[in-house]
Amino acid sequence: MPTLKRIAISVGDLNGVGFEIILKAHNTIKQLCNPLYCINYTMAHQAANLLHTQIPNDFQIFNVSGEFVIEAGKVSAQSGQYSYDSFIAAVELAKNNHVDAIVTLPIHKEAWMMAGIHYVGHTDALRDIFQSDAIMMLGCNKLYVALYTEHIPLREVAKYIQIDPLVSFLLQLHQTTEHTPIAVLGLNPHAGDHGVLGNEERFIEAAIQRANETLGQEVFIGPIVPDIAFTPHFRERYSMIAAMYHDQGLAPLKALYFDEGINISLGLPIIRTSVDHGTAFDIAYQNKASLLSYNNAISAAITFNMRKKGAF
C-alpha cells in the first residue's frame, strides 16, 4: 500500500468555521492523507471546547505560537494575525519539503488588514513569497474557472485586458492543467457585439490566436459571450473557463457548485488547495458547517501532487 501524502493544513480564522470543519472531517481525512495541523494545543483545545468536543488522540500538530480568546463571528486583528501565522507555517513546511502539499481554511481579509498584513488573500501572498504569477482557479470536477484578474476594483479591469499578459496567462493555464478545450470569456456584454458595446474583445481574440499558434493546436475558444457560458448546454462542451474578472466567473460558479467547489493555486513550486467559501461567521461554532469543499480540497491536493511527480 502506498504511503499516504503528508499535507499541512492552515486553520484559517479561528473565529470562523475552519476548525469545526477540521475536527468533523478528521476521521475521513486521515484515511486519505497524513494531516499536519498548523496550530498549538492551547488554541486547538479552546476551539474544541467551544464546539463541545475533544481533540482526537491522533491529531498531529505543527506548533504555531500565539494565544487569544476566540470570539465566534467576530472580526479581530488577533484572529487575523493567527490565521496568517498558521498559513505561513504551512507554506514553510512545503517550501522545505516536509509536506507534499498545503490546504488552507478560510481567512478573513478585513482581519488581515486589521492585523497590518498587506496581502489581500492567500494567493496574493503566495505570489509574493514565491515571486510567481500564480493563477487562481476555482471549481470542481464538473467545472473549473480560472481568473485572469482577481481582487481589483471592477473599474480597473478593462485596462488589464492586454495581449501579452493575456497570452502568458493562457499558456500558463494550459501548462499547469493540461486541459483542453478552454473557453475564454469576453469582457463586455455580448462579448462586445463587434465593438458596439466595447472593443476589449479584440485584445482577447488576438491573445487566443497567439496562444493557440504557440501550442500548435486549438486549446482556447473565444471570446465567448459571458451570459451563455454557464448554461447547461455550454457546460456539456467546456469544463474549464477563463474569466476576465472575479465576479464574472465566481458568481455563476458558486450559484452552481457552492458546497463542492475548491480553490487551487496554479503555477507555484508548491501545491496549495483551499476551500471555496469564507469564514461563515454567521454559523461559527454552531456545528452547521459543510465538509464537502474541504474534503474535495484535500483530494485535489493529493491528485495535483501525484500529477506533479508524474504518478499518472
Side-chain angles (χ1 to χ4, degrees):
M1 183 176 178
T3 302
L4 294 178
K5 301 299 181 183
R6 194 82 185 275
I7 296 182
I9 298 169
S10 67
V11 297
D13 195 305
L14 288 174
N15 287 348
V17 296
F19 204 74
E20 175 191 335
I21 291 170
I22 284 172
L23 287 184
K24 287 165 69 173
H26 176 70
N27 285 335
T28 298
I29 295 307
K30 71 181 183 181
Q31 306 301 320
L32 304 174
C33 67
N34 287 318
L36 182 61
Y37 303 103
C38 297
I39 194 171
N40 61 59
Y41 279 115
T42 299
M43 296 307 299
H45 281 292
Q46 183 187 165
N49 287 338
L50 289 171
L51 291 162
H52 308 291
T53 188
Q54 296 181 339
I55 300 298
N57 292 330
D58 57 358
F59 195 84
Q60 298 182 59
I61 72 162
F62 179 81
N63 188 71
V64 177
S65 61
E67 295 180 18
F68 66 96
V69 176
I70 296 172
E71 298 180 84
K74 181 179 179 180
V75 182
S76 79
Q78 288 178 305
S79 63
Q81 184 64 55
Y82 198 85
S83 67
Y84 177 75
D85 293 343
S86 176
F87 165 63
I88 293 300
V91 171
E92 288 299 317
L93 286 166
K95 282 176 67 175
N96 294 313
N97 296 315
H98 295 310
V99 296
D100 297 294
I102 71 172
V103 172
T104 58
L105 274 296
I107 57 96
H108 197 285
K109 293 178 175 60
E110 185 181 356
W112 273 25
M113 182 180 68
M114 291 170 65
I117 298 160
H118 65 276
Y119 301 118
V120 296
H122 289 121
T123 308
D124 187 42
L126 288 166
R127 285 196 186 99
D128 189 40
I129 291 167
F130 291 104
Q131 293 297 292
S132 173
D133 293 327
I135 292 174
M136 181 185 291
M137 185 175 76
L138 302 97
C140 59
N141 287 334
K142 299 170 186 173
L143 178 66
Y144 281 106
V145 175
L147 301 180
Y148 174 61
T149 65
E150 298 158 15
H151 300 125
I152 63 172
L154 186 58
R155 65 178 178 274
E156 296 181 13
V157 172
K159 70 181 182 182
Y160 283 87
I161 308 299
Q162 300 295 331
I163 297 173
D164 288 344
L166 259 172
V167 171
S168 297
F169 166 79
L170 294 175
L171 292 176
Q172 184 182 11
L173 179 59
H174 177 66
Q175 179 185 12
T176 52
T177 64
E178 301 176 357
H179 194 91
T180 187
I182 300 173
V184 183
L185 302 188
L187 175 68
N188 298 294
H190 304 281
D193 253 351
H194 303 287
V196 175
L197 300 176
N199 63 4
E200 285 80 9
E201 280 70 23
R202 62 192 173 101
F203 300 117
I204 299 171
E205 185 175 1
I208 290 171
Q209 181 177 348
R210 188 188 300 176
N212 285 338
E213 288 174 352
T214 300
L215 295 171
Q217 57 179 315
E218 193 176 32
V219 172
F220 302 101
I221 310 297
I224 301 295
V225 174
D227 64 11
I228 67 164
F230 295 86
T231 59
H233 175 71
F234 198 86
R235 297 201 312 273
E236 290 177 2
R237 299 168 58 195
Y238 302 101
S239 58
M240 185 172 290
I241 292 173
M244 292 299 104
Y245 61 92
H246 187 280
D247 287 8
Q248 182 189 49
L250 298 194
L253 176 69
K254 292 186 178 185
L256 291 166
Y257 305 117
F258 181 78
D259 285 332
E260 57 198 290
I262 63 170
N263 184 343
I264 304 171
S265 296
L266 302 173
L268 296 173
I270 69 167
I271 294 167
R272 176 258 173 170
T273 68
S274 178
V275 296
D276 183 20
H277 61 72
T279 51
F281 280 169
D282 58 320
I283 60 169
Y285 295 92
Q286 297 177 34
N287 286 299
K288 295 180 179 179
S290 170
L291 308 184
L292 186 55
S293 181
Y294 176 62
N295 291 345
N296 287 347
I298 294 285
S299 297
I302 296 167
T303 298
F304 271 76
N305 177 263
M306 293 172 65
R307 178 182 294 168
K308 186 176 182 180
K309 294 186 177 181
F312 68 97

